[in-house]
Amino acid sequence: MKFLFDIFPLLVFFGSYKWAGSNEDAAQALVNEHLSGVISGGAITASQAPIIVATITGIVATALQIAYLLARGRKVDGALWVSMVVFLFFGGLTIYFHDDDFIKWKPTIIYWSFATAMVVAYRFFNKNLIRAAMEKQIQLPDEVWHRLNTAWVAFWIVLGLLNLFVAFVLFKADTNAWVSFKAFGVTGLMLAFFVVQGFYLARHIKDEA
């Protein structure tokens, strides 16, 4: 359930993009009717409608996540606040200029923000963010926590680079392919990374025992 909650905006983004892609004229009319005041030129074309609709619904879904947590009196993770701010900035540019290049940068900026936060916390504040998040569930030697932190930093950097490669090189003229990669490719890579990390931790725990 936690995983589904975390990827809720991604699922909404993907689903709304696919809906708008199958109903471009309706999506175009909807956007032009309600958002003409915040769009450069006052209107978008039918082909631009899917990414605009997906961006709007993705922003709303992220805002609903935050609102839900606040209403329940629960802490909103810093990562979610970062996601909201980046989504608003790059999503706003995407909507105003009706240019999908802006929203394609959003995942990379978020991934690199995570990597930067982890490096800064470790180097300047002597705080391992992975350890802080997991230490209550598992006890590990300092060197293992350091390896995990380094692995996550490397993972976020590589994932950011991969997103740029897919968006602007591999599928430069195919936004639909990039959206599918964002929804399934990135999610699959993250799950694979979790599995590899789990095996590594399980082996280490066994060795310690």
Side-chain angles (χ1 to χ4, degrees):
M1 291 301 296
K2 176 66 165 59
F3 179 72
L4 289 176
F5 179 81
D6 289 341
I7 67 171
F8 173 66
L10 177 60
L11 296 176
V12 170
F13 183 92
F14 177 79
S16 59
Y17 180 87
K18 290 301 181 181
W19 173 84
S22 300
N23 302 273
E24 286 189 348
D25 291 337
Q28 178 194 22
L30 187 66
V31 171
N32 287 340
E33 179 180 357
H34 296 286
L35 294 175
S36 60
V38 294
I39 294 175
S40 176
I44 63 169
T45 64
S47 63
Q48 294 167 338
I51 197 65
I52 301 299
V53 170
T55 299
I56 295 168
T57 55
I59 292 173
V60 171
T62 305
L64 287 175
Q65 276 187 316
I66 293 174
Y68 171 79
L69 292 172
L70 292 176
R72 295 288 299 272
R74 297 168 61 181
K75 180 182 178 181
V76 180
D77 290 340
L80 186 52
W81 284 118
V82 170
S83 181
M84 183 75 254
V85 171
V86 175
F87 216 154
L88 279 173
F89 180 74
F90 285 93
L93 291 175
T94 298
I95 294 167
Y96 180 77
F97 292 107
H98 32 96
D99 185 344
D100 58 17
D101 281 355
F102 292 107
I103 202 64
K104 289 178 179 178
W105 269 94
K106 177 242 175 190
T108 292
I109 298 302
I110 290 177
Y111 303 148
W112 287 354
S113 294
F114 293 164
T116 300
M118 294 174 72
V119 170
V120 169
Y122 187 78
R123 293 294 183 185
F124 297 99
F125 300 97
N126 197 31
K127 184 175 182 179
N128 185 318
L129 296 183
I130 295 299
R131 183 171 190 166
M134 298 175 59
E135 195 169 25
K136 291 183 180 179
Q137 289 75 40
I138 183 173
Q139 298 298 313
L140 297 169
D142 290 343
E143 63 270 18
V144 176
W145 286 121
H146 175 68
R147 290 182 202 136
L148 286 176
N149 198 67
T150 302
W152 273 101
V153 169
F155 177 72
W156 291 129
I157 292 173
V158 170
L159 203 58
L161 290 171
L162 182 59
N163 174 69
L164 294 180
F165 174 75
V166 171
F168 297 107
V169 179
L170 189 61
F171 298 121
K172 180 175 177 57
D174 190 351
T175 300
N176 183 64
W178 173 77
V179 170
S180 296
F181 166 77
K182 184 175 183 292
F184 301 107
V186 171
T187 302
L189 288 171
M190 292 187 70
L191 288 173
F193 186 76
F194 290 151
V195 170
V196 171
Q197 177 181 262
F199 278 121
Y200 172 73
L201 293 177
R203 184 184 63 182
H204 182 81
I205 293 171
K206 181 177 179 180
D207 290 343
E208 287 295 302

